Amino acid sequence: MTTSACQNFLRKLREADQDLRGMAVSDLLNFLKEQTPQVGKDDGEQYSEALIKALQDAQSYVQNLAMECLGQLVSLISPNTTQAVIISICNRIQDTGKDAGKTALSVALRVVIGRIAEIPEDK
């Protein structure tokens, strides 16, 4: 995905329209499921940050897609970025006062850690 496509995704994810946000995350998920997606370091960090924010979206559809995207993304980003994702999710869980917001974050954390366990050690 090119840098302009990354910026387009990030722009759509900030839209007020829930359908546009859902389509943006769905498009990213389709990209990440390609046979050999190429995710640059900067793009991976930006995607991670945007997806973590999407975990607290008002729409559960967007939250669920963001969880699935994070699961796909962790196998494509550096270990340092993966560590930053885990720390960020944990911090948001700690800072979130609402139980509903914690649920999506907790499930996402489980998805990310489960996906890390599946990554071959030679990567």
Side-chain angles (χ1 to χ4, degrees):
M1 190 176 271
T2 64
T3 302
S4 63
C6 175
Q7 294 305 318
N8 189 34
F9 160 75
L10 296 171
R11 181 184 52 74
K12 285 182 182 177
L13 203 52
R14 290 188 293 267
E15 289 287 335
D17 185 345
Q18 67 190 26
D19 292 332
L20 288 177
R21 293 191 314 270
M23 286 189 298
V25 180
S26 179
D27 290 345
L28 179 61
L29 182 59
N30 289 333
F31 167 72
L32 294 174
K33 286 184 174 181
E34 288 179 3
Q35 293 290 19
T36 54
Q38 299 295 316
V39 178
K41 181 182 184 295
D42 292 336
D43 288 349
E45 290 173 357
Q46 290 179 352
Y47 291 150
S48 299
E49 290 172 19
L51 290 169
I52 291 168
K53 287 179 186 175
L55 292 172
Q56 295 178 299
D57 195 279
Q59 297 299 314
S60 61
Y61 172 72
V62 175
Q63 292 175 357
N64 292 335
L65 285 174
M67 285 180 225
E68 194 172 346
C69 278
L70 280 171
Q72 293 290 324
L73 188 62
V74 295
S75 64
L76 303 171
I77 56 178
S78 72
N80 289 339
T81 304
T82 301
Q83 181 180 8
V85 166
I86 292 170
I87 290 169
S88 180
I89 292 172
C90 288
N91 288 339
R92 286 176 188 254
I93 289 171
Q94 187 175 18
D95 294 342
T96 301
K98 298 177 270 178
D99 288 336
K102 286 184 180 182
T103 302
L105 291 164
S106 297
V107 172
L109 182 61
R110 188 180 75 202
V111 167
V112 168
I113 291 173
R115 183 67 176 169
I116 290 170
E118 297 172 2
I119 298 174
E121 289 184 33
D122 61 340
K123 183 169 185 244

